[in-house]
Structure formats: structure tokens, C-alpha cells
DNA sequence: CCCATATATTGCAATATTACGATGAATGGA
DNA sequence: TCCATTCATCGTAATATTGCAATATATGGG
């Protein structure tokens, strides 16, 4: 045991959880914020920006790319990463809907 | 090694990551959705609703409570859980700000 | 082709999460 | 008081994540 029982939940729930998982690390939050800030695309600058090893950054980038939050294109000898605007907006809407579920009706407890 | 290097990041980044971590499991998404739907507060019904053991549900509830997304009050022999509207809105705004960072400017790659 | 630079992948160790049975604590009724 | 119900906590096993050194891969310049 120890493995998440994915089969018990809807695709939508698993998707939301997967996106949240991609955001569930401060390094990945920091990477996204940096990419948003410097609209121009960055590559290995992230290694200096954050204090993590190159292999570690590469792994975080891989996870962000896996959920489609960022995209990378080869640019000479380096690789240019930037936000993927489409999935970004898509996820913004997903979270927007999730949180806007009219919870205003005060506590019941 | 293996522990997240929390010290490298800002409090805001760590907070955002912690909230995301709370949402990073389909069972917790399902619990929140159920609480939102049935405004009336639920307790052990969640054990039947999802297919997980009581101990497992209890653990997920604990994590959701730890980040303040839900609250529970004793109600006779059972415990009544519901969304905490204040932190809920607070987190909605946090994610709203995060995602609204003017990413509209198309790809650069 | 050889070298330097930039990024990805692999392998491993440390730590965290997930799940559940068993047990403990609290409440209400008989 | 004793018992049943409800939930929390503990202990444990399985699995996932994090981080990095070492190594592999790819690109451009000479």
C-alpha cells in the first residue's frame, strides 16, 4: 500500500490533483514566477536564480512541462523555456471554477 | 537529501506550495467538492462517499484542516466538517493573483 | 573531428506521502 | 456504569518525491 487509489476518483478530480501536484513545490512556484516576470524566456539562469543544482532544476522543469504549464524550444546550444499561455489560462479557469463554487453562504458548524 | 530546501524560497512561495500540496490529492479534491455541494456539514459519510478507509479519510481531513481549508466542530457523537469560508476566499485570491499575472502576451519561444 | 557549453538522464540516498489495521478517546443511550 | 458509535492516533508497509553527483546527449565553434 501507499499508492494513490486513482481509480476511485473522477478524471476531473485526478486532473485537478495532478495540476496541484505540479504547483506543490516552492521551486516550481519560483520557476513559474520567474518565467512570468521575465517574459523573455530563460534557460539555465534558473540554476543561478534558485540555489539548486542543475540536475534538480532540470527535473522540476520536466514536471512543469509534463502538465503543460511551460514549453521549451531549442535555441542554439541552450533551451528557451516560457509559460504555455493556453494551458496556463485553462488551469486558471479550472481553479477559478473550483474556488468560485459559491461558498459564500457562511459556516454551518 | 530528499528534503525540500524550504530556506531557499520566500514565505509566499512556500505558502503557495503548501496550499497546492493540500490540493494535490484526488481524495482531498473530492472531499472539498463534496463539502461545497452539500452545504450541510458532513462527517463520516465521506468514508462511504469515497472508497477509502476511515483512518485514511481522517488523515486527509487533518491535512485540509491544517491549511485552514475546512473546519470541524463536535456535534454529538460525530464531528461536523465544513468549508472555512474565510481561508477559502483567501486562497481563491492567492491563486487568482498567481494565475492572472498577465501571461496573455503570447509565447516567446 | 575535437572541444566547450548547455541541458537531460541515470542511479542512489534521504525524506515524505499514502493507505490501512489496530487501538485509543469521547459522546450519548440503555 | 457498560456498551455502541464515531472519530483520532499509532504503527507499519508500500510507494512517491527530492536532491545531487556522475554521466550522457546535443549544439555550435574551431
Amino acid at each position: 500500500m501507499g499508492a494513490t487509489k486513482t481509480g476511485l476518483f473522477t478524471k476531473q478530480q485526478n486532473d485537478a490533483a495532478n495540476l496541484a501536484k505540479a504547483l506543490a513545490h516552492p521551486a516550481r512556484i519560483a520557476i513559474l514566477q520567474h518565467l512570468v516576470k521575465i517574459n523573455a524566456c530563460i534557460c539555465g539562469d534558473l540554476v543561478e536564480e534558485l540555489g539548486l543544482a542543475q540536475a534538480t532544476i532540470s527535473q522540476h522543469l520536466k514536471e512543469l512541462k509534463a502538465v503543460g504549464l511551460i514549453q521549451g524550444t531549442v535555441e542554439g546550444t541552450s533551451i528557451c523555456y516560457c509559460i504555455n499561455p493556453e494551458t496556463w489560462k485553462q488551469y486558471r479557469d479550472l481553479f477559478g471554477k473550483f474556488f468560485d463554487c459559491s461558498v459564500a453562504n457562511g459556516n454551518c458548524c
Side-chain angles (χ1 to χ4, degrees), chain A:
Chain A
M1 300 104 197
T4 296
K5 295 195 161 182
T6 315
L8 291 178
F9 310 101
T10 68
K11 171 165 166 42
Q12 184 219 22
Q13 289 166 339
N14 283 308
D15 285 351
N18 275 333
L19 169 59
K21 200 179 288 183
L23 300 175
H25 195 289
R28 293 195 288 269
I29 295 281
I31 287 173
L32 291 174
Q33 285 180 331
H34 199 247
L35 286 180
V36 167
K37 187 169 133 199
I38 320 187
N39 194 357
C41 309
I42 310 300
C43 47
D45 300 344
L46 290 164
V47 177
E48 296 178 29
E49 186 71 16
L50 324 181
L52 294 171
Q54 183 265 322
T56 307
I57 297 288
S58 188
Q59 207 173 330
H60 284 306
L61 287 171
K62 188 178 175 186
E63 288 180 62
L64 289 173
K65 202 159 68 174
V67 294
L69 276 170
I70 66 174
Q71 60 194 171
T73 53
V74 180
E75 189 112 341
T77 167
S78 60
I79 290 187
C80 169
Y81 281 103
C82 64
I83 302 288
N84 180 331
E86 290 181 29
T87 39
W88 184 271
K89 287 173 197 162
Q90 186 180 322
Y91 283 141
R92 183 186 56 195
D93 293 349
L94 193 155
F95 267 96
K97 269 182 204 159
F98 182 78
F99 274 114
D100 272 337
C101 287
S102 65
V103 189
N105 352 15
N107 345 14
C108 45
C109 308

